[in-house]
Amino acid sequence: MLGLKKFLFKGATPANLPADVRAALEAWRVTPAAALDDIHFHTRYVVVEITSSGFKPESDELLSIAASSVRQSTILPDDAFFVEFSAQKEDAAVDRQLMAFLQFAAKCPMVTYNVPYVGGFLQRAFKERLGVDFEPQWVDLAWLLPAMFSERGTSIMPLDHWIEAFGLDAGNGRRNAMENTLMLARVFQMLLVRAVGKQIDTAAHLLDESRASSFLRRNH
């Protein structure tokens, strides 16, 4: 199993970064990756959502990043992150906001719905702005939910399908990245309960299951 230490430290720091961002980035590069062999109750997961101007990570623009922590199987509203980008922001401000996200994520396993979309935009942003080859350990709920809850759906479905299947109340939300992230965190809580019941009881096991479900469904 490939660990975070092997690929989160790739990339050269751009020469034009502000001094404070450069110092923070160098400190971040040498911080250890989160342990993946603890049980879920002891693991901090970072649930991430973005908004963008389109669906092509290679050409469209990243508009916002939202994230929320799930630790001890609980959503932590005070341990959350949100940044919105705009064309008017100076480069240094954007660099600082991206660095703040790296510090918030702290090399923990990350959770989203549709890694190629979310991860693609983040990878491009961090590569272009900070020189970071951003490839964290991802749990992709789009593939993992049908693998874990086959009685409720056996193929890739819109997130709304799972919100309804779990009887969650979306209310008037799911209109911005932060609301989406909190809803996704609630879905992830449901998945953790099922995972423990299947003896998938550590972050490492959950990541392996996510990769396996993605590979099998993409190739069959």
Side-chain angles (χ1 to χ4, degrees):
M1 177 174 166
L2 190 62
L4 281 165
K5 294 181 181 179
K6 292 188 177 181
F7 52 79
L8 261 181
F9 305 141
K10 290 181 181 178
T13 304
N16 61 343
L17 280 181
D20 59 323
V21 177
R22 176 181 293 273
L25 183 57
E26 293 307 315
W28 174 85
R29 287 184 186 276
V30 298
T31 47
L36 300 177
D37 55 355
D38 280 339
I39 61 174
H40 299 304
F41 188 79
H42 294 157
T43 300
R44 177 180 180 250
Y45 292 95
V46 177
V47 182
V48 185
E49 179 64 293
I50 67 165
T51 60
S52 62
S53 63
F55 297 99
K56 297 178 179 178
E58 69 278 4
S59 58
D60 292 321
E61 295 302 314
L62 177 65
L63 301 180
S64 68
I65 305 172
S68 177
S69 293
V70 174
R71 184 162 40 193
Q72 297 181 347
S73 303
T74 302
I75 300 170
L76 304 176
D78 293 335
D79 191 11
F81 178 92
F82 179 76
V83 62
E84 190 170 26
F85 303 104
S86 71
Q88 289 73 39
K89 286 186 177 176
E90 297 179 355
D91 286 351
V94 174
D95 294 339
R96 290 187 177 100
Q97 289 168 330
L98 289 173
M99 188 65 239
F101 175 75
L102 288 183
Q103 292 172 320
F104 173 82
K107 299 178 183 175
C108 292
M110 301 181 76
V111 181
T112 195
Y113 202 89
N114 190 356
V115 167
Y117 167 69
V118 174
F121 275 96
L122 294 179
Q123 168 74 322
R124 177 186 163 203
F126 285 108
K127 188 69 172 180
E128 290 182 355
R129 301 296 316 174
L130 303 183
V132 171
D133 194 5
F134 185 69
E135 295 182 4
Q137 298 275 27
W138 284 111
V139 174
D140 193 340
L141 296 183
W143 298 96
L144 192 52
L145 284 167
M148 300 286 284
F149 294 92
S150 58
E151 75 279 9
R152 303 190 184 195
T154 58
S155 62
I156 303 304
M157 303 290 289
L159 179 57
D160 285 334
H161 166 83
W162 295 104
I163 291 172
E164 182 178 351
F166 294 138
L168 301 176
D169 181 11
N172 295 321
R174 303 209 57 245
R175 289 181 294 187
N176 62 49
M178 195 71 246
E179 290 169 339
N180 286 358
T181 299
L182 293 174
M183 184 58 65
L184 193 58
R186 294 178 68 190
V187 172
F188 180 58
Q189 286 180 305
M190 307 291 284
L191 182 134
L192 285 180
V193 173
R194 176 60 62 95
V196 171
K198 290 178 174 287
Q199 298 184 322
I200 302 170
D201 53 2
T202 68
H205 291 157
L206 191 64
L207 289 160
D208 286 344
E209 191 71 20
S210 180
R211 282 189 286 267
S213 62
S214 174
F215 176 81
L216 289 173
R217 290 177 182 275
R218 288 180 187 276
N219 291 277
H220 291 85

